[in-house]
Amino acid sequence: MYTKGYEIKDKQFWIVVMSLGLASMFTFAAFYSFQPLLPVLTKSYDISVSYSSMSMSVTTVSLIIGLIVLGFLSDRNGRVLFIKLSIFLSILPFVIIPFMDSYFIIVVLRFIQGFTLAGVPAAALAYIGEEIDAKSSSLATALYISTNALGGMIGRIVAGFVAERYNWQLSLSLIVIFGIIVLIIVLITLPKSKNFISRNRSFKEDLIGFSYHLRNPALLLMFGLGIVLQVTFTGTWTYLPFHLSSPPFSLSLETISYIYFAYAFGILGAPIASWLSNRFTLEKIRVVAILILIIGVACTLHASLLVVLIGLCILCFGFFTAHSLTAASVSRTATHLKGSASSLYLVAYYIGVASGSTLIGPLWDLWKWQGIIYFTLALPIIYLVFLQFSLKLIQNKHANLAYRNTSE
C-alpha cells in the first residue's frame, strides 16, 4: 500500500537527504581518490601515465556494469539493502590496496571496487523517487547530486594532501575511516522503504525496456550529451595534476590538492540549476551551462595560474549545472520506465568518465596539456551545435505529425 512520501517540512526528509548524501560523498570520494595520486603511482610503480590512469578507467567500466546489474537487483530486492552493502563492500579494497606491490593487482581491486560502488547511485535516486513526496523530490535530488561533487572534492583533496605530506597509502586509510563512519550513520538513520514494490519482470523484459529508450532519438541525444560532458570534465581533471606538476607551474601534489576546492562551485551548480529551471526553460539554461563549461576549459590554457584556477571554478559550475539539467531532461523525456532511462543516462555518464580518464591518454603522450584541452574544447562545441540542430528537427517532426493528425 502506498504511503505519502516525506516532505521538506518533515524531519525524515532531512534524515534521508543526510544519509544518502553521506553515502554519495563516500562513494565519490572513494571513486575519485586515485585521480590526484596518478603522478605518485606513476613514479612509485615505474609505469606510464596511460597505465596509471587504468586505476580510474577500469573502476569506471565496472561501475557501469554494476549500475546495470545492481539496478535490476534493487528493483527486485529493495533499495536500502544495496545502499548499505555498497558502502561496506567498497571499503574492503582500500584496506588491501596499500599492501600491494603489483600495480596490476591494484587495478584488479579497483575493478572490483567499481562494481561495489555502483550500489549507491543505482538505488539512491530510485529511493528518493519512492520515499520523497513528488513536490519535494526535486530539492532532494539536487542536494544528492551536490554531494556527488562534495565527495569528489573530499576524495581528491584528502588523497593529494596526505600523499604529499606523508604517503599515498595513508590517504586511502583515511578514506576507509570515513567510509566506516558513513556506514554506521547510514545503518542507524536511513529509513526503511515504505513504498518499494518489488518488480517481478524478467531480465529479458528489462532489456526490452532499455531497447525502447535506445530507439528514442531525444533520449539518445541526452545520453550522448552525458558522455560529452564527462569526457570534457574528467579529461581536464585527470591530467591536471600532470600539467600543474610540470613547468612552468611545478606545483607540489599538496598544493595541487587545494585546487580541488574548485569543486565547491560545482556543489552550487545543481541547486541553482533546479531553481533557474523553474523560472526559465530547462533547454535554455542547459545551453548556457554548457557554454560556461566551455569558457572554463578554455581558461585552463592560460599561462597564469590564477586564470587557470578561475577557469577550473567556472568549469565545475558549468559542468554540474549542465549535468543536473541533462539528468532532469532524461526524466522528463522518458514517457515511461523512467528508472531504466535514468540508469542508461548514468551508464552513458560513466562511459564518459572512462573515456576522459584513459582513452584520451594518447593525446597527453603526443601533445601534453594542449592536446587534452583542444580536444575537450572542440568536443562540447561540436556536440552543442549538433544537439541544437537535432532537437529542432525532432520538434519539427512532432509538429508535422500533430498537424497531420488534426488535419485528418
Side-chain angles (χ1 to χ4, degrees), residues 345-395:
Y345 173 72
L346 285 175
V347 168
Y349 181 84
Y350 287 108
I351 287 173
V353 174
S355 302
S357 59
T358 296
L359 292 186
I360 67 172
L363 294 176
W364 174 269
D365 296 332
L366 291 171
W367 300 294
K368 302 300 179 186
W369 187 244
Q370 285 73 19
I372 297 292
I373 297 305
Y374 287 146
F375 178 80
T376 54
L377 264 178
L379 190 62
I381 292 171
I382 294 169
Y383 195 85
L384 181 59
V385 174
F386 170 72
L387 176 67
Q388 295 305 105
F389 177 74
S390 299
L391 288 175
K392 193 70 175 177
L393 286 179
I394 292 171
Q395 290 173 358

Side-chain angles (χ1 to χ4, degrees), residues 115-234:
F115 186 88
T116 60
L117 285 170
V120 171
L125 288 177
Y127 179 93
I128 289 173
E130 291 163 355
E131 307 303 325
I132 302 295
D133 183 73
K135 294 179 181 178
S136 305
S137 63
S138 60
L139 175 61
T141 301
L143 292 173
Y144 171 78
I145 290 177
S146 293
T147 60
N148 296 356
L150 183 58
M153 182 178 75
I154 290 172
R156 289 173 169 102
I157 291 172
V158 169
F161 177 83
V162 176
E164 178 70 22
R165 282 291 185 94
Y166 303 99
N167 55 69
W168 66 269
Q169 291 90 342
L170 179 60
S171 66
L172 298 188
S173 299
L174 292 176
I175 294 176
V176 167
I177 294 171
F178 175 54
I180 292 171
I181 294 170
V182 169
L183 177 61
I184 293 170
I185 293 173
V186 172
L187 286 173
I188 295 171
T189 63
L190 186 62
K192 294 180 180 179
S193 295
K194 298 187 299 180
N195 298 317
F196 170 75
I197 300 174
S198 179
R199 299 176 187 174
N200 296 317
R201 294 195 308 262
S202 67
F203 184 73
K204 181 179 179 181
E205 289 174 315
D206 281 319
L207 291 179
I208 291 172
F210 276 161
S211 68
Y212 173 82
H213 296 313
L214 293 174
R215 293 195 299 270
N216 185 330
L219 280 177
L220 286 176
L221 288 170
M222 294 302 105
F223 299 154
L225 180 57
I227 294 174
V228 168
L229 290 173
Q230 262 297 4
V231 169
T232 300
F233 185 75
T234 304

Side-chain angles (χ1 to χ4, degrees), residues 36-147:
L37 299 179
L38 297 183
V40 175
L41 295 171
T42 300
K43 294 177 181 178
S44 298
Y45 289 91
D46 192 22
I47 54 178
S48 68
V49 170
S50 296
Y51 186 28
S52 70
S53 68
M54 288 288 286
S55 59
M56 284 298 300
S57 59
V58 299
T59 314
T60 308
V61 171
S62 60
L63 182 67
I64 292 169
I65 297 170
L67 283 170
I68 298 172
V69 175
L70 299 180
F72 287 162
L73 292 176
S74 73
D75 282 344
R76 291 156 176 75
N77 302 293
R79 318 299 182 187
V80 175
L81 172 66
F82 287 92
I83 291 170
K84 293 176 179 177
L85 280 176
S86 174
I87 300 169
F88 172 70
L89 295 175
S90 299
I91 292 171
L92 300 181
F94 273 172
V95 175
I96 304 170
I97 285 174
F99 301 100
M100 293 298 102
D101 295 325
S102 167
Y103 194 73
F104 175 77
I105 295 176
I106 291 176
V107 170
V108 171
L109 288 170
R110 284 285 285 173
F111 181 86
I112 295 170
Q113 187 180 49
F115 186 88
T116 60
L117 285 170
V120 171
L125 288 177
Y127 179 93
I128 289 173
E130 291 163 355
E131 307 303 325
I132 302 295
D133 183 73
K135 294 179 181 178
S136 305
S137 63
S138 60
L139 175 61
T141 301
L143 292 173
Y144 171 78
I145 290 177
S146 293
T147 60

Side-chain angles (χ1 to χ4, degrees), residues 142 145-147 149-150 262-276 313 316-318 320-321 324:
I145 290 177
S146 293
T147 60
L150 183 58
Y263 263 59
F265 289 85
I267 296 168
L268 299 173
I272 289 175
S274 176
W275 179 73
L276 287 175
C313 294
C316 286
F317 181 81
F320 281 101
T321 304
S324 178

